[in-house]
Amino acid sequence: WLRMREPHDHCARSVGLANAFAAAMGEGSSTVMEMACGLGSGTRFLSRILQADVEWLLVDHDPQLLAAVSKDMENTAVRYRTHQHDLRDLGGLDVSVHGVTTQALLDLVSHDWLVQLADWLAERRIPLLAALSVDGRVEWTPHDPRDTQVQHAFRTHQTWDRGFGPSPGPRAATVLKALLEERGFSVRLERADWHIPHTDTAMMSSMVQG
């Protein structure tokens, strides 16, 4: 699934926000952490945009994913190291970095965890680039009369506990925006929509089944 969705993730992501993130970190060498890195899709996207001398710290709780990252980083010039850590213990993540990125994470965590993240970033005064958060919008073509019912069930499911506690789900990005602004951050939100053509049958089938 992670490999299948990567092209759609990269097409959806905002180059403008990536450039703003780079500007917020400033010039010179830097260390950037990707939280919940999976197979490093976010790092591969951003490494083509960030022109500075960057070393990546790839953090995930899953040792199997971290072991597989090196294969998915083949044929890239990305400098990285991995770090296994359970992000539910955000306070125990004692690392020195110049910026934090993550994708497809915010809608999985709890409101309390988002508060902890905002505090963690504020203590260090470093920028965050968080991409691909579910916001509840899905449009199918052709339309089916049951789409609304299915999407209501999906949005409800997004608020369940996925290991961090009850989640804001589709509201996660706007919740974190408010928390960061309360702590003095300037925050920009942009849409990052997947557009899956009918010819991509494998991805379409996974979306329907999921």
Side-chain angles (χ1 to χ4, degrees):
W1 168 247
L2 293 177
R3 292 190 178 103
M4 184 186 301
R5 64 174 286 173
E6 182 167 329
H8 301 280
D9 289 343
H10 289 190
C11 287
R13 291 196 56 168
S14 167
V15 173
L17 286 183
N19 287 330
F21 175 74
M25 285 197 300
E27 298 180 354
S29 60
S30 58
T31 300
V32 179
M33 175 172 61
E34 184 175 2
M35 284 185 170
C37 67
L39 292 174
S41 171
T43 295
R44 280 187 291 280
F45 173 79
L46 289 170
S47 64
R48 302 196 299 263
I49 298 171
L50 304 185
Q51 301 300 315
D53 181 17
V54 175
E55 179 185 38
W56 289 87
L57 177 63
L58 306 184
V59 177
D60 204 285
H61 78 287
D62 190 333
Q64 291 183 322
L65 288 177
L66 293 177
V69 160
S70 58
K71 180 178 180 180
D72 285 57
M73 286 296 184
E74 289 178 356
N75 303 317
T76 73
V78 177
R79 291 192 302 114
Y80 70 93
R81 51 193 171 95
T82 61
H83 179 63
Q84 184 182 352
H85 185 81
D86 187 339
L87 289 174
R88 289 175 296 183
D89 178 22
L90 192 57
L93 187 59
D94 186 16
V95 295
S96 178
V97 296
H98 301 91
V100 176
T101 72
T102 191
Q103 63 175 32
L105 174 66
L106 298 186
D107 52 274
L108 303 178
V109 301
S110 68
H111 182 277
D112 288 346
W113 192 89
L114 292 176
V115 172
Q116 292 177 46
L117 176 61
D119 288 339
W120 194 93
L121 293 165
E123 289 171 4
R124 293 159 177 79
R125 304 312 302 177
I126 55 176
L128 167 73
L129 177 59
L132 301 172
S133 300
V134 169
D135 66 1
R137 292 178 299 108
V138 178
E139 297 179 9
W140 294 94
T141 303
H143 174 72
D144 185 280
R146 294 162 293 185
D147 287 347
T148 299
Q149 181 181 356
V150 171
Q151 288 311 123
H152 175 74
F154 175 71
R155 287 191 293 270
T156 300
H157 178 265
Q158 287 293 111
T159 64
W160 293 358
D161 184 348
R162 264 80 57 80
F164 292 82
S167 172
R171 298 185 299 106
T174 54
V175 168
L176 182 59
K177 177 178 185 290
L179 291 170
L180 289 172
E181 288 176 337
E182 289 172 0
R183 290 156 177 79
F185 284 85
S186 174
V187 183
R188 284 172 53 186
L189 293 182
E190 292 187 14
R191 287 172 58 163
D193 295 349
W194 278 351
H195 295 280
I196 305 171
H198 71 277
T199 52
D200 191 343
T201 55
M203 183 68 174
M204 192 68 72
S205 295
S206 290
M207 289 291 293
V208 172
Q209 293 167 12

